[in-house]
Amino acid sequence: MPLRVPLAPAPALRSVLTALSSPTAVREARTPALLGAQGPATPELPLPVHVLDRVTTEGVAATRLAGWRFHIRCGDRAVAAAETMLTPDGWAFSHFFEGPYVASTERALRQAESMTQPYQPRLLSVPELYMLTLWLHGDCTADPAAGHPAATDLLVPLAPAPPGIAAHRPHRVAELLPVLTHRVTPTRLLGSPA
């Protein structure tokens, strides 16, 4: 079943397109692959980026939307990514970057395409562990900017993953969340509801 990639907010996409058309923004990004790209660079695969703030004592992951990430494709491969953020004035371009998470995200998305159940792909960041996962949300019609990981959703740790957590191995949220909560300082991730 194919993944149901959500539509990014139009202002977020426009901000990335504007940055791509600005020689100053691309030059200041200092991403060698983007600077040396031949041909047009196009933003693809918009994924909402959620941050895991804490896990409640009931085991529910409290997340917040931090931005939208777009892969920047030149020819047949992604050479970089662009991230947007929500400001008081709306969606704005944040930065370009490259590195292992770009290729790792593409690999995880290809793996997810071969699954039998449809999913809505998202990214879930666990800052305290320097960890990024592909979050495969089971409700394909859900608002991609809202919600929390359901127990049956899948998390696919991206490479490089923290020691002891295998990259590119899908885990049910109910299985991986307890592992993550034990690794993070209890006062930061395991907190009583505010």
Side-chain angles (χ1 to χ4, degrees):
M1 261 288 148
L3 293 174
R4 309 284 164 76
V5 177
L7 291 176
L13 176 58
R14 276 194 306 273
S15 73
V16 171
L17 290 169
T18 300
L20 281 171
S21 67
S22 164
T24 304
V26 172
R27 192 170 44 255
E28 288 178 2
R30 293 190 176 94
T31 59
L34 191 56
L35 283 170
Q38 299 295 318
T42 56
E44 295 181 352
L45 291 171
L47 296 174
V49 180
H50 294 260
V51 174
L52 180 65
D53 282 329
R54 63 185 171 88
V55 177
T56 67
T57 53
E58 296 81 27
V60 177
T63 63
R64 63 181 163 80
L65 180 67
W68 281 82
R69 182 171 295 173
F70 298 80
H71 279 204
I72 306 300
R73 186 165 299 281
C74 289
D76 63 345
R77 67 184 191 96
V79 296
E83 195 140 322
T84 63
M85 63 182 179
L86 191 57
T87 69
D89 294 325
W91 288 101
F93 172 74
S94 175
H95 62 280
F96 291 114
F97 65 94
E98 60 184 81
Y101 285 133
V102 175
S104 187
T105 302
E106 285 205 321
R107 177 180 170 189
L109 287 166
R110 281 192 306 273
Q111 286 176 299
E113 281 285 344
S114 66
M115 295 180 178
T116 56
Q117 179 180 339
Y119 288 101
Q120 182 189 84
R122 304 171 175 197
L123 294 172
L124 181 65
S125 172
V126 185
E128 288 85 357
L129 296 177
Y130 301 99
M131 180 180 185
L132 186 64
T133 69
L134 177 64
W135 168 13
L136 299 172
H137 190 52
D139 182 358
C140 294
T141 62
D143 177 357
H148 304 289
T152 56
D153 286 354
L154 296 178
L155 296 177
V156 182
L158 301 179
I165 297 177
H168 297 286
R169 183 177 171 266
H171 301 270
R172 295 246 178 251
V173 167
E175 297 165 356
L176 187 58
L177 203 54
V179 173
L180 299 180
T181 58
H182 290 296
R183 289 183 167 218
V184 177
T185 307
T187 58
R188 291 285 302 159
L189 191 57
L190 286 175
S192 58

